Amino acid sequence: MNIVIFSGAGLSTESGIPTFRDSGGLWEQHRIEDVASPEGWKRNPQLVLDFYAKRFEKQAECLPNPAHFAIAELAKHHSVINITQNIDTLLERAGCEEVWHLHGRIDQQKCEYHHSLAFEYDGDLECTYRSQITAPIKLGDECPKCGGQLRPDIVWFGEPVDMREEFLMKTIKQAEIFVGVGTSALVYPAAGLLPMFRMTPEKYFIDPHPNYELLNGFTILEGPAGERLPKLVNRLLLQ
Ligand code: NAD
């Protein structure tokens, strides 16, 4: 079966990584616009680098929870594509291979002139450099391709998401089961993705506070991912 799992911050809360909502719109005591926007980066890059270095360390200490492991188990038996808004790598650490991070990855760095940002820099400075982080990024760390400053490989507010249109269209067409988990799905592109799967025959949504209005047509499993997802996976494995 072709299964799509679409996840948000709620998938990782039971691993100890809080959602934005739970922290009242602040991210570890910082205003989102200070640490997750191109303007914040221009104002105070050191603050941004320190912030993500801490997030990197924190997530390395966290462990995948039963929901991540259930998805990895499902992927052993079926074709599972993960589309996640999470920047942590808990799905990969649970054993998932096919993970599309809409908002980037905490364990990667890219050039500040990366093409996804290039619209800000009059089009002359475009770079595609991206690599695994091996040591905390420092001011002065240069992109080996063009000399730009390295920055976290995170999609910040106001930056475009790499939508991989062709892959997405193929995934939508082939999807037989869709499982949404741990996302309020109010923010784009999440908000736009749900309706795209409206023709998928079986659709589930797991969240302790589901938005019933938004989830018309879904089988809603109200509760935490760590409890609900393993049960759903057991059921799907018997189908
Ligand atoms: P959100 O904060 O808007 O929504 C989180 C959802 O998770 C809510 O609907 C909440 O009810 C649900 N939830 C809480 N605990 C849960 C649990 N135990 N099991 C299942 N669901 C649970 O977050 P969002 O919709 O994902 O979007 C906000 C942005 O925050 C995303 O773009 C994401 O990149 C970013 N973010 C990522 C991480 C991470 O990487 N782990 C953490 C915080 C925020």
Side-chain angles (χ1 to χ4, degrees), residues 41-114:
W41 171 246
K42 273 183 212 149
R43 262 197 312 271
N44 192 344
Q46 188 62 57
L47 172 81
V48 176
L49 291 180
D50 290 344
F51 174 79
Y52 286 99
K54 283 205 191 96
R55 303 284 75 69
F56 179 79
E57 269 173 40
K58 170 100 196 285
Q59 81 102 33
E61 287 164 7
C62 293
L63 297 173
N65 67 53
H68 297 105
F69 286 117
I71 297 170
E73 184 59 29
L74 190 62
K76 286 186 196 157
H77 304 273
H78 295 286
S79 155
V80 172
I81 291 177
N82 275 286
I83 306 178
T84 188
Q85 297 165 84
N86 294 345
I87 58 171
D88 67 59
T89 57
L90 293 172
L91 279 167
E92 285 87 349
R93 284 162 58 203
C96 294
E97 284 171 11
E98 193 87 43
V99 188
W100 174 15
H101 288 266
L102 289 176
H103 295 161
R105 287 176 62 140
I106 189 72
D107 64 337
Q108 289 182 174
Q109 57 194 357
K110 65 184 175 186
C111 177
E112 73 169 337
Y113 300 133
H114 197 271

Side-chain angles (χ1 to χ4, degrees), residues 79-198:
S79 155
V80 172
I81 291 177
N82 275 286
I83 306 178
T84 188
Q85 297 165 84
N86 294 345
I87 58 171
D88 67 59
T89 57
L90 293 172
L91 279 167
E92 285 87 349
R93 284 162 58 203
C96 294
E97 284 171 11
E98 193 87 43
V99 188
W100 174 15
H101 288 266
L102 289 176
H103 295 161
R105 287 176 62 140
I106 189 72
D107 64 337
Q108 289 182 174
Q109 57 194 357
K110 65 184 175 186
C111 177
E112 73 169 337
Y113 300 133
H114 197 271
H115 60 77
S116 66
L117 273 181
F119 69 95
E120 293 220 347
Y121 296 92
D122 75 15
D124 286 344
L125 295 162
E126 275 204 35
C127 185
T128 53
Y129 183 75
R130 164 180 275 147
S131 67
Q132 200 75 15
I133 290 180
T134 49
I137 309 170
K138 294 191 296 296
L139 282 183
D141 281 355
E142 287 184 358
C143 164
K145 248 176 139 174
C146 75
Q149 168 67 44
L150 294 181
R151 57 160 270 187
D153 184 11
I154 307 292
V155 178
W156 289 326
F157 288 96
E159 294 185 333
V161 169
D162 169 17
M163 278 309 282
R164 302 190 196 170
E165 300 285 350
E166 223 171 283
F167 174 74
L168 181 62
M169 289 310 141
K170 192 169 147 224
T171 302
I172 292 169
K173 221 167 144 189
Q174 292 177 344
E176 293 165 277
I177 298 179
F178 176 93
V179 183
V181 52
T183 173
S184 54
L186 293 172
V187 184
Y188 274 84
L193 264 171
L194 284 193
M196 289 185 189
F197 286 90
R198 65 185 173 278

Side-chain angles (χ1 to χ4, degrees), residues 7-14 17-22 27 85-88 90 103 157 181-187 190 205-210 223-226:
S7 55
L11 176 66
S12 298
T13 49
E14 288 158 89
I17 305 178
T19 65
F20 281 161
R21 274 156 193 275
D22 291 339
W27 201 353
Q85 297 165 84
N86 294 345
I87 58 171
D88 67 59
L90 293 172
H103 295 161
F157 288 96
V181 52
T183 173
S184 54
L186 293 172
V187 184
F205 207 93
I206 297 172
D207 199 293
H209 308 289

